Amino acid sequence: RMKKPVATPKPKRQLLTPERIMQAAIEMMDQEGFAALSMRKLAGKLHVEAMSLYDHFPSKEALLLAMRSHFYQQLNTAIPTRAAWHELMAANMTALYHLGVRHPSFVAVHLHVLSVPESRQRGDIDLALLMKAGFSEKEAASAIITLVSYVIGFLHRMVLSRPSGSRIGEITRKDQEATFQFGLDAILAGLKASLRNKA
């Protein structure tokens, strides 16, 4: 008598959650860029019907907003009070830079998606920090726009120049980081000089 072949149990299908959808979208955009993301393609990556994604996100725009919130939640960390304002701003901008290095999708989301409460919270924290240092509200706002524009612009250039399918700065990461730091230091030095002249 021949033994019946033992049926291989089917792997359990993972529960579809907003977090799983978002992480898959981040991974897709990290590898293929902003234009690659579509709800249909994302559903294929997750092995589900496209319509099932809409149970969690009513639109692609809603998913992108959730991604921006997710990224900025990682940046809204407690700020130590003993460091000088320029050291804290350097740390904040460097954290922004490293997030973009890890996730090129962050750059695209930042450029294409409107503000969310988490990004406004980050801005409010930095604004308060600069005003406490002695900048007026208008000066502090201009300083933040300058710093964030520099970081995102630097990352965007890296995204555009990187080989397709590779992570940012994979080949010359040390050189790129040194160049980034040089520019950041120069901006902060200018802000420090502006504050001294004001005093």
Side-chain angles (χ1 to χ4, degrees):
R1 267 182 157 189
M2 291 182 66
K3 289 184 178 180
K4 290 183 180 180
V6 178
T8 305
K10 289 183 179 179
K12 286 185 179 180
R13 181 180 288 184
Q14 281 187 282
L15 184 67
L16 193 64
T17 63
E19 184 65 23
R20 265 195 76 213
I21 295 169
M22 189 165 53
Q23 290 299 335
I26 289 170
E27 187 178 314
M28 181 181 289
M29 284 175 55
D30 280 349
Q31 295 299 322
E32 302 176 49
F34 182 79
L37 181 67
S38 73
M39 297 301 261
R40 185 178 296 278
K41 191 173 177 181
L42 185 59
K45 181 179 175 68
L46 289 163
H47 308 294
V48 297
E49 295 294 326
M51 288 307 295
S52 63
L53 300 184
Y54 292 100
D55 292 336
H56 301 277
F57 297 102
S59 64
K60 178 181 170 180
E61 289 69 30
L63 172 58
L64 290 168
L65 281 168
M67 289 168 68
R68 184 172 173 118
S69 296
H70 167 78
F71 284 132
Y72 270 93
Q73 282 169 16
Q74 298 177 49
L75 295 169
N76 287 340
T77 53
I79 293 186
T81 54
R82 294 192 179 186
W85 68 267
H86 51 88
E87 293 173 335
L88 293 173
M89 288 306 297
N92 292 344
M93 293 305 121
T94 302
L96 195 72
Y97 168 78
H98 284 139
L99 179 60
V101 169
R102 290 195 306 275
H103 295 293
S105 54
F106 167 68
V107 182
V109 167
H110 185 94
L111 291 171
H112 289 90
V113 180
L114 294 173
S115 181
V116 291
E118 289 81 3
S119 58
R120 289 192 292 274
Q121 182 187 358
R122 176 74 265 160
D124 289 344
I125 290 170
D126 290 341
L127 190 73
L129 174 65
L130 291 176
M131 288 175 68
K132 187 178 178 182
F135 292 97
S136 69
E137 185 173 356
K138 186 176 180 180
E139 290 167 341
S142 295
I144 292 167
I145 290 169
T146 300
L147 285 162
V148 173
S149 296
Y150 168 67
V151 178
I152 297 300
F154 191 94
L155 287 165
H156 190 232
R157 179 184 175 279
M158 289 168 67
V159 170
L160 290 175
S161 62
R162 73 193 175 105
S164 177
S166 69
R167 290 191 175 277
I168 290 177
E170 204 166 53
I171 300 168
T172 57
R173 175 172 285 185
K174 284 185 180 179
D175 289 343
Q176 286 174 332
E177 186 148 346
T179 303
F180 167 78
Q181 195 62 53
F182 179 85
L184 179 60
D185 289 345
I187 295 171
L188 289 169
L191 289 172
K192 284 191 281 184
S194 173
L195 202 56
R196 281 197 302 271
N197 293 338
K198 190 177 174 183

